[in-house]
Amino acid sequence: MTSHSAIEARGLVKRYGHVTAVDHVDLTVRAGDVYGYLGPNGAGKTTSLRMLLGLIRPDEGSAKLFGRDPLVEGVGALDGVAGFVEAPRFYPYMTGRRNLELVAALDGGDAAERIDAALETVDLHKRQHDKVKGYSHGMRQRLGIAGALLRDPRLLLLDEPTTGLDPAGMRDMRALVHRLASEGMTVLLSSHLMSEVEELCDRVAIVARGRVIHEGSLEELIASTSGRYELRTTDDDRATAIAARAEGIGELETTSHGLTFTAEERAVAALTLSLAQAGIGLTALVPRTATLEELFFRLTEGDQEPRPALRVIDAKGKVAA
Ligand SMILES: Nc1ncnc2c1ncn2[C@@H]1O[C@H](COP(=O)(O)OP(=O)(O)OP(=O)(O)O)[C@@H](O)[C@H]1O
Ligand SMILES: [Mg+2]
């Protein structure tokens, strides 16, 4: 039996005038993955998800869902795939339940029979007879997921489902995604929050300016940043000069509280001896793995989003602009 990836996108491109919103994206999501599609504003997350959901056509490339391409095989290829981009849309003057009934009528099949269970799953059964216009943002998002669940999906595509929610709403939404995933649903979740992806996902694609700049397991990604050290001394300026000349010390950077570099253990030991010989005391030497957040900023460097700057200190101890 052949088992297909839940998503296999190859060379997806979408252009809007001179903007290339999605630029040759390859994406492989295995069945059972909770996959994070992580990127800053304007990275092309929503556009990518729109193509995967068959809402817009790619200019180039193709996407297969469980081995079937909706552009070739028609909407039938979207069976078992559900989700929404940006925010789910509902009729505000109708109740949550009535909205789901309309969704079910459009979907056909036995979707209507799943309404009660879906409302229960997203914890809206008590508010199902209230009009959607009175729902909070979090409730609307959850109703959106209920709408998706009516299709009995194997693959759920969620575009920043926690954006705009308060901390409690975020927690509830993440718990819901976690629960659906633990029941075996494959989830592709876009996000601009590293912590969210770290909490929920086992694999990640980091996107910036329409391109996937890193793809792989979160574990590998975090492990790839090991070998970095943070050093504080009684004389950071001289320590920096010594480290710059030392064998095996790479990526030397001065921060507001010491220096950081990459090195193998042997080179670190040699450096500490050189520092001691120079009469420089160590106040801290800490091996560290970058947080996903730092990594994200490093990888997406060069776009327009604000980021915590790495401060560079000149020889006189002044913070360089
Ligand atoms: N319908 C459209 N018409 C013109 N430009 C578009 C359209 N949709 C997206 N774009 C452009 O494509 C780029 C990617 O947009 P997209 O909405 O996919 O990013 P995103 O990663 O979802 O961002 P955000 O985090 O803000 O939701 C942006 O530069 C955007 O302006
Ligand atoms: Mg978006």
Side-chain angles (χ1 to χ4, degrees):
M1 200 182 100
T2 50
S3 66
H4 291 288
S5 299
I7 300 176
E8 197 165 299
R10 292 291 171 267
L12 282 184
V13 174
K14 186 70 195 178
R15 298 188 193 87
Y16 290 107
H18 63 281
V19 175
T20 305
V22 173
D23 192 359
H24 296 92
V25 161
D26 293 340
L27 202 61
T28 305
V29 178
R30 297 175 304 206
D33 277 351
V34 183
Y35 198 99
Y37 201 57
L38 182 66
N41 290 139
K45 302 181 296 294
T46 300
T47 307
S48 299
L49 264 63
R50 279 203 171 100
M51 288 191 274
L52 294 174
L53 282 166
L55 299 171
I56 55 172
R57 240 172 201 280
D59 292 321
E60 289 174 35
S62 66
K64 284 186 180 159
L65 306 167
F66 299 107
R68 302 169 71 191
D69 184 342
L71 290 180
V72 177
E73 302 187 32
V75 287
L78 289 165
D79 279 350
V81 180
F84 53 87
V85 294
E86 284 171 347
R89 302 222 173 94
F90 294 108
Y91 294 104
Y93 291 98
M94 292 181 186
T95 67
R97 187 180 186 91
R98 184 72 192 123
N99 270 283
L100 291 187
E101 284 166 359
L102 291 173
V103 172
L106 276 175
D107 276 350
D110 49 4
E113 290 161 27
R114 281 189 280 272
I115 291 176
D116 286 312
L119 283 164
E120 196 87 31
T121 302
V122 303
D123 200 22
L124 276 178
H125 49 294
K126 292 199 187 105
R127 301 290 302 271
Q128 60 176 301
H129 299 299
D130 294 348
K131 286 184 175 149
V132 167
K133 73 182 166 85
Y135 280 15
S136 70
H137 179 53
M139 291 166 71
R140 283 172 211 221
Q141 293 291 93
R142 282 187 280 132
L143 189 62
I145 295 199
L149 293 179
L150 297 183
R151 310 189 74 179
D152 196 18
R154 287 188 287 162
L155 170 64
L156 195 56
L157 299 166
L158 299 174
D159 188 25
E160 304 207 39
T162 63
T163 295
L165 304 188
D166 68 12
M170 283 187 168
R171 184 200 54 207
D172 294 348
M173 179 58 76
R174 287 176 192 157
L176 174 59
V177 171
H178 189 75
R179 187 147 35 95
L180 294 171
S182 69
E183 287 164 9
M185 206 174 286
T186 307
V187 180
L188 173 71
L189 166 108
S190 83
S191 178
H192 63 268
L193 299 172
M194 283 55 62
S195 55
E196 178 164 287
V197 167
E198 239 174 324
E199 186 182 324
L200 288 174
C201 303
D202 30 49
R203 294 181 70 79
V204 64
I206 297 181
V207 285
R209 297 176 298 281
R211 294 182 183 208
V212 174
I213 52 179
H214 180 91
E215 205 277 330
S217 81
L218 268 182
E219 256 173 33
E220 278 163 24
L221 183 61
I222 292 169
S224 72
T225 67
S226 64
R228 189 154 198 96
Y229 290 83
E230 206 173 275
L231 173 68
R232 268 172 275 156
T233 68
T234 52
D235 188 341
D236 287 342
D237 288 342
R238 282 178 58 222
T240 305
I242 290 170
R245 287 195 304 268
E247 195 109 343
I249 304 292
E251 296 180 42
L252 182 64
E253 282 168 0
T254 314
T255 71
S256 53
H257 40 266
L259 38 146
T260 70
F261 56 85
T262 55
E264 306 243 339
E265 280 186 5
R266 207 140 34 109
V268 179
L271 176 63
T272 59
L273 292 176
S274 307
L275 294 171
Q277 270 168 13
I280 300 170
L282 308 189
T283 55
L285 176 61
V286 190
R288 54 189 295 234
T289 44
T291 61
L292 190 55
E293 184 129 27
E294 290 168 312
L295 200 68
F296 176 76
F297 286 128
R298 220 184 291 157
L299 288 169
T300 57
E301 202 112 300
D303 60 25
Q304 273 84 53
E305 299 309 307
R307 66 180 41 82
L310 189 69
R311 280 183 289 176
V312 177
I313 302 184
D314 67 19
K316 296 185 195 86
K318 294 212 178 83
V319 176

